[in-house]
Amino acid sequence: MKASALAHPNIALVKYWGKRDVAYNLPGAGSLSLTLGGLATRTCVEFDAALDQDRLQLDKEDVARGDKLERVSQFLDLVRARAGITARARVITENDFPTGAGLASSASGFAALALAATKAAGLDLSPRELSILARRGSGSAARSIFGGFVEMNDGIFPFSEDAKRVETKSLEEASQAAFARPIAPASHWDLRCLIAVTSAGEKDVGSTEGMVRTQKTSPYYRQWIASVAPDIERAAHAVQARDFAALAAVAEASCLRMHASAIGAEPGILYWNATTVELIHAVRQARAGGLPVFFTIDAGPQVKVFCPADARDACHALLAATAGVRQILQAHPGEGARLCEDFR
Ligand code: PMV
């Protein structure tokens, strides 16, 4: 009744921002990401009939109550229901990258938890089933089940290359149809991702709250959602062709459209600080000067910068020269979630 798993975070090149349904955690549109090797979450799960409630230890600290424990417990309920067990679990999870680095530790966290918890419960799920399950914990976690370049489906419309539009499904059916799949392995393209940490604090508007507020109050939300499918198609082609300039154009456009929709909410959601904006300008200037580089930003002020492997040092120097950058983390295309040695 015990298993451990490892998963990497991922960064969306075409963003996920908005939910068709909060209870099933169904995305309002698809997304496309790169799984990041070099950074990982390790999670150990042990079901134990002697426990009176689920226990969580996160980065060596016991989490006795609150949202994080509740989210994990609700997720474990899905696993228990599926396995037909009632035992509570001890969950120990560790990130080898700083939390609050804007790295969506929920993506690697719920991907590792989905794999470790199902194994510990005696289930043997396919990667697709794991992706569907991980999505219930965090939308982006569905993508971290797979390595390399990954496309996420919204459960309503087919994947980008499928021409036929599917009729609207029930939420239950859509839930089973919303999963990620790999479109190119990590070895396909040696892109590097440098993460410029511009603030140490936790974000003040979480992704779910930000998405729901955008959906309810931003006049730009519909247009944002309508822009996603064409962007996924462009990004998927750019990945297949290893066309850096094309990927740069669509990734920056998707990032800025996502943030524009959030900025248009009421009250407006602005995740950026002054250094975030400095970095946007610095990246664009460097690109105009011939350096292959583009930025993307998630629900926080950190800036993720992508470049081909041979431009890594120049990109690092660019970020290091920007005032306000506190730390630079480096990542490369990584593999999907996998079982690992028990570390406890
Ligand atoms: O998976 P969540 O609920 O943490 O949402 C992720 C949202 C973004 O990171 C902003 C975009 C994305 O696609 O990862």
Side-chain angles (χ1 to χ4, degrees), residues 10-17 19 25 31-33 71 104 106-107 137-141 143 203 207-208 211 258-259 271 297-300 304:
N10 70 77
I11 301 289
L13 298 166
V14 177
K15 302 294 182 192
Y16 149 53
W17 194 254
K19 294 179 196 281
N25 206 25
S31 54
L32 190 147
S33 62
R71 241 175 116 182
S106 65
S138 161
S140 53
R143 302 186 306 237
K203 59 190 168 204
S207 56
T208 297
M211 288 184 205
M258 171 205 134
H259 285 275
Y271 286 112
I297 305 157
D298 294 294
K304 290 96 181 196

Side-chain angles (χ1 to χ4, degrees), residues 104-223:
S105 53
S106 65
S108 48
F110 279 103
L113 183 63
L115 181 54
T118 51
K119 276 285 169 192
L123 296 168
D124 195 13
L125 301 192
S126 68
R128 176 174 293 185
E129 289 173 307
L130 280 171
S131 180
I132 292 166
L133 176 64
R135 193 202 75 234
R136 301 292 296 270
S138 161
S140 53
R143 302 186 306 237
S144 272
I145 294 297
F146 301 100
F149 297 84
V150 177
E151 184 184 345
M152 175 79 198
N153 186 357
D154 67 359
I156 307 299
F157 299 111
F159 278 110
S160 57
E161 87 239 15
D162 306 327
K164 217 169 115 254
R165 204 180 141 111
V166 170
E167 282 307 306
T168 304
K169 302 178 175 85
S170 71
L171 288 177
E172 181 65 44
E173 280 173 330
S175 182
Q176 288 308 308
F179 50 80
R181 63 165 187 187
I183 60 165
S187 59
H188 172 71
W189 195 4
D190 193 10
L191 289 184
R192 298 303 164 95
C193 178
L194 304 181
I195 297 137
V197 179
T198 65
S199 155
E202 295 255 326
K203 59 190 168 204
D204 45 329
V205 183
S207 56
T208 297
E209 188 191 336
M211 288 184 205
V212 170
R213 194 194 300 169
T214 303
Q215 234 163 306
K216 282 195 177 144
T217 65
S218 175
Y220 311 135
Y221 180 72
R222 275 168 169 275
Q223 290 94 325

Side-chain angles (χ1 to χ4, degrees), residues 247-271:
L247 187 61
V250 67
E252 287 191 2
S254 175
C255 163
L256 293 174
R257 288 183 188 127
M258 171 205 134
H259 285 275
S261 75
I263 289 167
E266 202 173 321
I269 305 161
L270 181 60
Y271 286 112

Side-chain angles (χ1 to χ4, degrees), residues 57-73:
Q57 191 193 89
L58 175 60
D59 286 332
K60 299 197 162 41
E61 299 218 359
D62 288 326
V63 183
R65 61 185 69 79
D67 288 356
K68 282 187 176 140
L69 176 62
E70 203 158 296
R71 241 175 116 182
V72 166
S73 217

